[in-house]
Amino acid sequence: MSKDDKKFEVEESYNKENPFSIGKILASILFIFIGGFLVVRVFTVYKNVAIPALIILATGFILLTIWHKGLYIYRYMLPAMIIILVFTAYPIVYTIYIAFTNFGTGHMFSKEKTKEKLLTEQWETNYAYPALFAEFYAPKGQVDEYMKAYKKAYDDFSKKVEKWEKQKKSEDYIYEMKDIEFYGKKIPELTSNYLDKKIKLEDVTIILYSQNKVTKNSPNKSNVIEVDAEETLYDSSGNEVAEVYETYSETLPPLKIYVSEGTTQLKELSLDEVDKYTKGKKLLGNKVYDREGVEEATDEDYELFVDIRDINNVFEGLKDLTPLVIGDSNYLIETSNQFLSKMHSFRIDPDNKQKMQKLNRETFVYDKENTVYEDSKQGRFVLTKDAEPVKFWKEYYLSKLEFDYGLLNLETDSVVETYLSDHFRKTTGVESQIGELDLDGIINTPINMVDKAKLNSVNSKLKEINKEITKFNKGRNEYRKEFLQLQKSRIDSEYPDLPDSIDAEVMNKKILEKITAKAIDENQGNQDKNYLLFYYRVGITSTNTYTLQQDKIDVANEEVYRSLKKRLWDLLDTSGVYNLNKEKDKRKNALNSQKFPKYADIKLVQFENSNIDEYTSIEPGYSIWIGAKNFQKIVSSKNITAPFLFVFLWTVAWAAFSVLTSFALGLALALVFNASDFKGKYFYRTLFILPYAIPSFVTILMWSGFLNKDFGVINNFFNINVPWLMDGWLAKISTLTVNLWLSFPYFMIISLGALQSIDSSMYEAADVDGATKVQQFGMITLPLLLMALGPMLVGSFAFAFNNFGGIYLLTGGGPTMAAGVLPGHTDILISYTYKLAFGEQNKDYGLASAIAIIVFLIIGTLTFLQFKFTGTFKEVDNA
């Protein structure tokens, strides 16, 4: 056996050691204990056998490495293997699994957990039963302890207030600090320590009354009260003439009183017995029913008021979890002292334990018509229209007469659609032909029950209709020319919409001054200025912008509105800041990119129908396996496909330009700093590394301020008003520029290192051969650099492809691409995925995971191709 083979053998000392050593036994016990604890803990929390099974397998493998000498080497590899498994393999496998489920908002739980939540957490209020009004009594000693701590905290804070007043702090500052320090921090801390942690539901006595003294106007000992009724009298013309007050007696139902001593079951008692149950306890809040000898828990000196809501664990339990029970009635708290009769929204069907019944809100009865069934295709519980189990079948529906803008168009144009619709009605009879179609027995009928002859007849008529639609679509170019001509004529004859806002500095120093300078006299100049300032005012919060006051403009009166626009535009045009003719030309040029759709064909389209009652929503749903539907959604749904394609194309462009521009600038600087005769190159190298040394998130946020449209340094310095981050193309350029600033130092550093490794004798030989500097760069420098830096460039491309922070911190993915579309102009695939999974809208983790897998496949493919074509693998193999 060679020496190389022997070095992998288990040491002889291992073979000779005691097979039942104390170390092995202790290690085995330790790992069995840890594995057992993790199995129990994970299964208790997640109710899932897959992860505990993996833990058992891992524990078993660890024990094998301890006791089997052939697995001795894995003792040292095991930590790395576990880390890779837990932090790499598991997230990848889990992401792939989620991509094939409907996991997301409304579908976050398993079927069993969802069913449990429906049965236990959803309630309906039964207003047919009167409310009960509660007085809460807590142990006096604990409440007094809280009051004492409250007073001390109040005194301490008052000393701070006196100190701030001496320092002449503003009242606003003191009020803000009171909200933040005292009410925001100190009081929650006190209520947590003295109330929440010390007072439980079983410590609280609740006295409930069927009458509330707050709403009664007579002594409580009588169940007859005097009620003042107000009536307004009108004359024959409907004018109010007088208000009449009438007093009458109303008999209340007998007073009912119940008590709960830390239990959910209530028992009835008399008014005289209440004191016996509240002895030694203190009333929280106000009295509900007047009784002699009961003091309300208030403190005039400190305005202290303890409420049941301060004991958060008790209040939340009574509100959401623990109903008080009288007979068959459940009462849950609504406000601090009002309990309403409630019933569970769902219950188990007593005749079939596998099914649930939904409570009928009108009758408050669980009836058979409201039997709940499972929709296993969408992962939800549903009611059905026929009170039968869920059934699915295929049907036809007739597609609508609608416009087709093409796959990659996200925006619609109502003006164009109105113009085309008018011409369509005048030149075709399609709408009447559609109305004449005999669809009885085809629509709302299962496909297998449709008469084939009648279906063929309808399809032949649809072909004739679609021929007319196609003929109309072919003439769209003529309609487009006519439409554009009409629009240009309208632009020439009308004044354009007024600017929504004007920068304050531009208004004050340019517009108003020029209006005054060009006026006939001072009086005319003041009138013009006042007229303009009447419609453009500075806001309270935004003093650097004059905003158009829309509420002062009568848009409904066309003549007045036209006259107003004319005068305001004359003033703005006179100033020279706004040019009316240029504004009109801009609008005319914008017409060239006007979307001009075509009409889509009319078709009988198949869809899946069911007997599910879609008007009754039961939430939440549950997570199920849906196969490749998330991937199909990306391809088939226009609202996802079109944005996805735009985002994908921009992501590729973003990654490519980010790497190319940063590498080009970094290499250019490296060539300069590598020159032997460059003076001060070490100082300049250090200076140019600074953008790389500063944390990128700080730099990006700084650039976000620089590029701000209203108060950014760049716009203010050059006295311009460019929407760097609010226009689609400008935002793209801005993100690339900021990324260039962040990235070029890295490429400069690695290029410097690579340049210094090139043998200088190659350049000397090239000089002898008469090669120019450009030829030397193209034939020697660049090829050798790419050979050395190729893997880094490929890695940088992959990093840029997923550079979430560079996009999200600067623009948030915006500006908005189109109304109702989730991604923005600068969103890349990773930020789009983030918005799908964690954005403000409904979270769709399944779809986000599907996109993440596609992103991985794209990056993996591009990276492999780049390595393949640059010969990186080949160079490594030959090394």
Side-chain angles (χ1 to χ4, degrees), residues 145-154 182 185-197 310:
E145 191 179 350
Y146 168 74
M147 288 181 174
K148 184 179 178 181
Y150 181 98
K151 290 177 182 180
K152 183 180 183 305
Y154 191 92
F182 188 67
K185 293 181 180 178
K186 193 61 182 178
I187 296 304
E189 178 187 327
L190 292 177
T191 55
S192 174
N193 292 335
Y194 290 93
L195 299 178
D196 262 359
K197 292 181 180 178
D310 296 329

mmCIF file of all heavy atoms in Angstrom, residues 145-154 182 185-197 310:
data_model
loop_
_atom_site.group_PDB
_atom_site.id
_atom_site.type_symbol
_atom_site.label_atom_id
_atom_site.label_comp_id
_atom_site.label_asym_id
_atom_site.label_seq_id
_atom_site.Cartn_x
_atom_site.Cartn_y
_atom_site.Cartn_z
ATOM 1 N N GLU A 145 -51.001 48.899 44.366
ATOM 2 C CA GLU A 145 -49.562 48.829 44.065
ATOM 3 C C GLU A 145 -49.266 49.477 42.716
ATOM 4 O O GLU A 145 -48.288 50.211 42.561
ATOM 5 C CB GLU A 145 -49.133 47.361 44.070
ATOM 6 C CG GLU A 145 -47.630 47.161 44.027
ATOM 7 C CD GLU A 145 -47.240 45.687 44.062
ATOM 8 O OE1 GLU A 145 -48.124 44.841 44.306
ATOM 9 O OE2 GLU A 145 -46.058 45.396 43.829
ATOM 10 N N TYR A 146 -50.136 49.224 41.753
ATOM 11 C CA TYR A 146 -49.985 49.855 40.443
ATOM 12 C C TYR A 146 -50.151 51.360 40.543
ATOM 13 O O TYR A 146 -49.388 52.133 39.956
ATOM 14 C CB TYR A 146 -51.004 49.277 39.465
ATOM 15 C CG TYR A 146 -51.133 50.058 38.181
ATOM 16 C CD1 TYR A 146 -50.153 50.006 37.192
ATOM 17 C CD2 TYR A 146 -52.229 50.881 37.960
ATOM 18 C CE1 TYR A 146 -50.261 50.729 36.021
ATOM 19 C CE2 TYR A 146 -52.352 51.623 36.793
ATOM 20 C CZ TYR A 146 -51.365 51.545 35.824
ATOM 21 O OH TYR A 146 -51.485 52.277 34.674
ATOM 22 N N MET A 147 -51.179 51.810 41.308
ATOM 23 C CA MET A 147 -51.410 53.257 41.455
ATOM 24 C C MET A 147 -50.208 53.943 42.084
ATOM 25 O O MET A 147 -49.805 55.039 41.675
ATOM 26 C CB MET A 147 -52.655 53.484 42.317
ATOM 27 C CG MET A 147 -53.967 53.135 41.634
ATOM 28 S SD MET A 147 -55.371 53.482 42.727
ATOM 29 C CE MET A 147 -56.732 53.150 41.614
ATOM 30 N N LYS A 148 -49.619 53.278 43.081
ATOM 31 C CA LYS A 148 -48.449 53.850 43.747
ATOM 32 C C LYS A 148 -47.285 54.001 42.767
ATOM 33 O O LYS A 148 -46.608 55.035 42.725
ATOM 34 C CB LYS A 148 -48.056 52.949 44.920
ATOM 35 C CG LYS A 148 -46.901 53.476 45.757
ATOM 36 C CD LYS A 148 -46.609 52.532 46.916
ATOM 37 C CE LYS A 148 -45.424 53.037 47.732
ATOM 38 N NZ LYS A 148 -45.113 52.105 48.860
ATOM 39 N N ALA A 149 -47.059 52.964 41.968
ATOM 40 C CA ALA A 149 -45.989 53.023 40.963
ATOM 41 C C ALA A 149 -46.295 54.076 39.909
ATOM 42 O O ALA A 149 -45.400 54.789 39.440
ATOM 43 C CB ALA A 149 -45.821 51.649 40.314
ATOM 44 N N TYR A 150 -47.570 54.189 39.567
ATOM 45 C CA TYR A 150 -47.979 55.201 38.576
ATOM 46 C C TYR A 150 -47.682 56.608 39.101
ATOM 47 O O TYR A 150 -47.159 57.460 38.393
ATOM 48 C CB TYR A 150 -49.472 55.049 38.275
ATOM 49 C CG TYR A 150 -50.003 56.026 37.250
ATOM 50 C CD1 TYR A 150 -50.146 55.656 35.918
ATOM 51 C CD2 TYR A 150 -50.360 57.308 37.613
ATOM 52 C CE1 TYR A 150 -50.640 56.550 34.979
ATOM 53 C CE2 TYR A 150 -50.844 58.220 36.685
ATOM 54 C CZ TYR A 150 -50.993 57.831 35.371
ATOM 55 O OH TYR A 150 -51.471 58.723 34.449
ATOM 56 N N LYS A 151 -48.035 56.851 40.380
ATOM 57 C CA LYS A 151 -47.819 58.185 40.968
ATOM 58 C C LYS A 151 -46.337 58.535 40.991
ATOM 59 O O LYS A 151 -45.948 59.660 40.695
ATOM 60 C CB LYS A 151 -48.396 58.220 42.387
ATOM 61 C CG LYS A 151 -49.916 58.184 42.427
ATOM 62 C CD LYS A 151 -50.421 58.135 43.871
ATOM 63 C CE LYS A 151 -51.941 58.050 43.900
ATOM 64 N NZ LYS A 151 -52.463 57.990 45.280
ATOM 65 N N LYS A 152 -45.522 57.552 41.358
ATOM 66 C CA LYS A 152 -44.075 57.807 41.396
ATOM 67 C C LYS A 152 -43.550 58.131 39.999
ATOM 68 O O LYS A 152 -42.761 59.069 39.811
ATOM 69 C CB LYS A 152 -43.344 56.587 41.956
ATOM 70 C CG LYS A 152 -41.840 56.796 42.107
ATOM 71 C CD LYS A 152 -41.163 55.574 42.670
ATOM 72 C CE LYS A 152 -39.681 55.830 42.890
ATOM 73 N NZ LYS A 152 -38.981 56.304 41.686
ATOM 74 N N ALA A 153 -43.992 57.360 39.007
ATOM 75 C CA ALA A 153 -43.560 57.618 37.627
ATOM 76 C C ALA A 153 -44.031 58.986 37.158
ATOM 77 O O ALA A 153 -43.296 59.707 36.479
ATOM 78 C CB ALA A 153 -44.096 56.522 36.709
ATOM 79 N N TYR A 154 -45.252 59.355 37.557
ATOM 80 C CA TYR A 154 -45.791 60.662 37.165
ATOM 81 C C TYR A 154 -44.976 61.788 37.802
ATOM 82 O O TYR A 154 -44.651 62.791 37.161
ATOM 83 C CB TYR A 154 -47.259 60.757 37.576
ATOM 84 C CG TYR A 154 -47.984 61.950 36.998
ATOM 85 C CD1 TYR A 154 -48.662 61.851 35.789
ATOM 86 C CD2 TYR A 154 -47.977 63.178 37.650
ATOM 87 C CE1 TYR A 154 -49.306 62.941 35.244
ATOM 88 C CE2 TYR A 154 -48.626 64.268 37.124
ATOM 89 C CZ TYR A 154 -49.304 64.150 35.920
ATOM 90 O OH TYR A 154 -49.937 65.246 35.382
ATOM 91 N N PHE A 182 -43.564 58.936 28.499
ATOM 92 C CA PHE A 182 -44.443 58.558 29.605
ATOM 93 C C PHE A 182 -45.527 57.584 29.152
ATOM 94 O O PHE A 182 -45.616 56.463 29.629
ATOM 95 C CB PHE A 182 -45.068 59.818 30.213
ATOM 96 C CG PHE A 182 -45.827 59.544 31.484
ATOM 97 C CD1 PHE A 182 -45.160 59.141 32.630
ATOM 98 C CD2 PHE A 182 -47.199 59.679 31.533
ATOM 99 C CE1 PHE A 182 -45.859 58.857 33.794
ATOM 100 C CE2 PHE A 182 -47.900 59.418 32.697
ATOM 101 C CZ PHE A 182 -47.230 59.013 33.828
ATOM 102 N N LYS A 185 -43.796 54.598 26.656
ATOM 103 C CA LYS A 185 -42.838 53.634 27.202
ATOM 104 C C LYS A 185 -43.155 53.257 28.656
ATOM 105 O O LYS A 185 -43.252 52.084 29.000
ATOM 106 C CB LYS A 185 -41.419 54.206 27.118
ATOM 107 C CG LYS A 185 -40.901 54.370 25.700
ATOM 108 C CD LYS A 185 -39.479 54.919 25.704
ATOM 109 C CE LYS A 185 -38.950 55.087 24.274
ATOM 110 N NZ LYS A 185 -37.590 55.666 24.258
ATOM 111 N N LYS A 186 -43.296 54.295 29.517
ATOM 112 C CA LYS A 186 -43.404 54.022 30.957
ATOM 113 C C LYS A 186 -44.714 53.347 31.330
ATOM 114 O O LYS A 186 -44.716 52.347 32.065
ATOM 115 C CB LYS A 186 -43.247 55.340 31.742
ATOM 116 C CG LYS A 186 -43.040 55.120 33.243
ATOM 117 C CD LYS A 186 -41.760 54.324 33.496
ATOM 118 C CE LYS A 186 -41.543 54.041 34.971
ATOM 119 N NZ LYS A 186 -40.328 53.229 35.199
ATOM 120 N N ILE A 187 -45.836 53.865 30.848
ATOM 121 C CA ILE A 187 -47.133 53.295 31.226
ATOM 122 C C ILE A 187 -47.276 51.854 30.744
ATOM 123 O O ILE A 187 -47.712 50.988 31.515
ATOM 124 C CB ILE A 187 -48.289 54.179 30.719
ATOM 125 C CG1 ILE A 187 -48.227 55.544 31.400
ATOM 126 C CG2 ILE A 187 -49.638 53.526 30.972
ATOM 127 C CD1 ILE A 187 -48.233 55.491 32.904
ATOM 128 N N PRO A 188 -46.940 51.520 29.464
ATOM 129 C CA PRO A 188 -46.989 50.101 29.078
ATOM 130 C C PRO A 188 -46.104 49.212 29.949
ATOM 131 O O PRO A 188 -46.466 48.073 30.244
ATOM 132 C CB PRO A 188 -46.505 50.123 27.623
ATOM 133 C CG PRO A 188 -46.847 51.488 27.134
ATOM 134 C CD PRO A 188 -46.643 52.389 28.312
ATOM 135 N N GLU A 189 -44.956 49.754 30.377
ATOM 136 C CA GLU A 189 -44.065 48.978 31.254
ATOM 137 C C GLU A 189 -44.719 48.726 32.604
ATOM 138 O O GLU A 189 -44.683 47.613 33.143
ATOM 139 C CB GLU A 189 -42.754 49.753 31.430
ATOM 140 C CG GLU A 189 -41.760 49.083 32.353
ATOM 141 C CD GLU A 189 -40.547 49.958 32.639
ATOM 142 O OE1 GLU A 189 -40.143 50.725 31.728
ATOM 143 O OE2 GLU A 189 -40.033 49.879 33.761
ATOM 144 N N LEU A 190 -45.374 49.761 33.167
ATOM 145 C CA LEU A 190 -46.035 49.604 34.465
ATOM 146 C C LEU A 190 -47.219 48.642 34.387
ATOM 147 O O LEU A 190 -47.386 47.780 35.256
ATOM 148 C CB LEU A 190 -46.506 50.976 34.969
ATOM 149 C CG LEU A 190 -45.416 51.986 35.351
ATOM 150 C CD1 LEU A 190 -46.042 53.304 35.754
ATOM 151 C CD2 LEU A 190 -44.542 51.452 36.470
ATOM 152 N N THR A 191 -48.054 48.795 33.344
ATOM 153 C CA THR A 191 -49.217 47.912 33.221
ATOM 154 C C THR A 191 -48.785 46.463 33.015
ATOM 155 O O THR A 191 -49.437 45.542 33.505
ATOM 156 C CB THR A 191 -50.118 48.350 32.059
ATOM 157 O OG1 THR A 191 -49.347 48.405 30.854
ATOM 158 C CG2 THR A 191 -50.741 49.702 32.317
ATOM 159 N N SER A 192 -47.675 46.277 32.311
ATOM 160 C CA SER A 192 -47.171 44.922 32.105
ATOM 161 C C SER A 192 -46.677 44.317 33.414
ATOM 162 O O SER A 192 -47.015 43.181 33.756
ATOM 163 C CB SER A 192 -46.054 44.927 31.070
ATOM 164 O OG SER A 192 -45.472 43.650 30.952
ATOM 165 N N ASN A 193 -45.905 45.098 34.199
ATOM 166 C CA ASN A 193 -45.289 44.569 35.422
ATOM 167 C C ASN A 193 -46.278 44.419 36.585
ATOM 168 O O ASN A 193 -46.199 43.458 37.352
ATOM 169 C CB ASN A 193 -44.131 45.469 35.853
ATOM 170 C CG ASN A 193 -42.965 45.399 34.879
ATOM 171 O OD1 ASN A 193 -42.799 44.404 34.182
ATOM 172 N ND2 ASN A 193 -42.167 46.448 34.814
ATOM 173 N N TYR A 194 -47.195 45.388 36.725
ATOM 174 C CA TYR A 194 -48.062 45.401 37.901
ATOM 175 C C TYR A 194 -49.463 44.848 37.639
ATOM 176 O O TYR A 194 -50.162 44.497 38.590
ATOM 177 C CB TYR A 194 -48.186 46.833 38.445
ATOM 178 C CG TYR A 194 -46.915 47.333 39.083
ATOM 179 C CD1 TYR A 194 -45.996 48.057 38.341
ATOM 180 C CD2 TYR A 194 -46.633 47.066 40.417
ATOM 181 C CE1 TYR A 194 -44.818 48.518 38.918
ATOM 182 C CE2 TYR A 194 -45.455 47.515 40.998
ATOM 183 C CZ TYR A 194 -44.546 48.237 40.241
ATOM 184 O OH TYR A 194 -43.384 48.678 40.809
ATOM 185 N N LEU A 195 -49.896 44.821 36.383
ATOM 186 C CA LEU A 195 -51.242 44.347 36.084
ATOM 187 C C LEU A 195 -51.212 43.051 35.288
ATOM 188 O O LEU A 195 -51.726 42.025 35.730
ATOM 189 C CB LEU A 195 -52.025 45.427 35.320
ATOM 190 C CG LEU A 195 -52.234 46.760 36.067
ATOM 191 C CD1 LEU A 195 -52.972 47.753 35.178
ATOM 192 C CD2 LEU A 195 -52.983 46.561 37.373
ATOM 193 N N ASP A 196 -50.601 43.092 34.096
ATOM 194 C CA ASP A 196 -50.615 41.916 33.209
ATOM 195 C C ASP A 196 -49.973 40.690 33.854
ATOM 196 O O ASP A 196 -50.498 39.580 33.753
ATOM 197 C CB ASP A 196 -49.889 42.238 31.899
ATOM 198 C CG ASP A 196 -50.872 42.606 30.808
ATOM 199 O OD1 ASP A 196 -52.078 42.582 31.084
ATOM 200 O OD2 ASP A 196 -50.443 42.917 29.688
ATOM 201 N N LYS A 197 -48.824 40.887 34.491
ATOM 202 C CA LYS A 197 -48.081 39.750 35.027
ATOM 203 C C LYS A 197 -48.617 39.259 36.375
ATOM 204 O O LYS A 197 -48.287 38.150 36.801
ATOM 205 C CB LYS A 197 -46.601 40.120 35.162
ATOM 206 C CG LYS A 197 -45.897 40.313 33.819
ATOM 207 C CD LYS A 197 -44.433 40.663 34.019
ATOM 208 C CE LYS A 197 -43.732 40.848 32.662
ATOM 209 N NZ LYS A 197 -42.321 41.237 32.820
ATOM 210 N N ASP A 310 -56.456 47.845 30.556
ATOM 211 C CA ASP A 310 -55.068 47.923 31.002
ATOM 212 C C ASP A 310 -54.514 46.543 31.358
ATOM 213 O O ASP A 310 -53.315 46.320 31.296
ATOM 214 C CB ASP A 310 -54.941 48.862 32.210
ATOM 215 C CG ASP A 310 -55.298 50.298 31.854
ATOM 216 O OD1 ASP A 310 -55.068 50.682 30.691
ATOM 217 O OD2 ASP A 310 -55.817 51.025 32.715
#
